[in-house]
Amino acid sequence: MTRVAILISGGGSNMVALADAVRPVLVLSNEPGAGGLSKAAARDIPTEVVDHRDFPDRPAFEAELTRQLDAHQTQVICLAGFMRILTPGFVERWDGRILNIHPSLLPKYPGLNTHQRALDAGDSEAGCTVHMVTPVLDDGPILGQARVPVLPDDTAQSLAARVLAEEHELYPAVLRRFLEGNIEPLYLP
Ligand code: GRF
């Protein structure tokens, strides 16, 4: 069984969806108060906090991340609402074994505020992307995408909620395929 660690910073709804599909060996957060930590603990999943504020710089923070990940013999990392940018050194060490979910149809809208940007652009559809993490932010090979319609009365919040529901379908499905060695992109619906 591949040893998967999930990194979070917030509520962890994607972590829960992933954990229900593939039991992780660790849920790690950079935020001590992340709601996802209690959700993981409620599922008896080991948790760790590595607070980035406790370290003088990114390399020191990432060295502690690596220590925790190695202590759990991690083989694959899933970023699930993890809001820290990882250095090329960290990413290259994991060499294609880090996945991320991003709330837009990449390559459109890398970075933040993706839903408002889609609304501002008048897009008729939006969605989410699971991709392999590379040193360039939100830019790696696409492993899956899910599309949703943008509705006339959508706000960033209503669109985010519709996309999030798709994230919870897409990410577990892509992770299962990835762990079977299948990197053929999955498109939903
Ligand atoms: C999701 O919208 C995801 O696309 C983005 O951050 C959010 C995480 O939500 N990366 P949650 O913490 O998984 O509920």
Side-chain angles (χ1 to χ4, degrees), residues 52-64:
H52 58 284
R53 302 169 189 85
D54 294 343
F55 299 88
D57 54 34
R58 272 185 209 282
F61 166 64
E62 292 178 350
E64 180 59 17

Side-chain angles (χ1 to χ4, degrees), residues 10-15 80-81 101-103 164 167:
S13 70
N14 274 292
M15 177 277 295
I101 188 156
H102 179 76
L164 192 62
E167 294 177 28

Side-chain angles (χ1 to χ4, degrees), residues 20-56:
D20 288 348
V22 178
R23 185 163 179 77
V25 296
L26 173 66
V27 169
L28 187 154
S29 178
N30 66 297
E31 290 290 353
L37 289 168
S38 54
K39 292 172 185 161
R43 287 163 173 79
D44 296 323
I45 299 167
T47 61
E48 293 291 345
V49 172
V50 180
D51 187 339
H52 58 284
R53 302 169 189 85
D54 294 343
F55 299 88

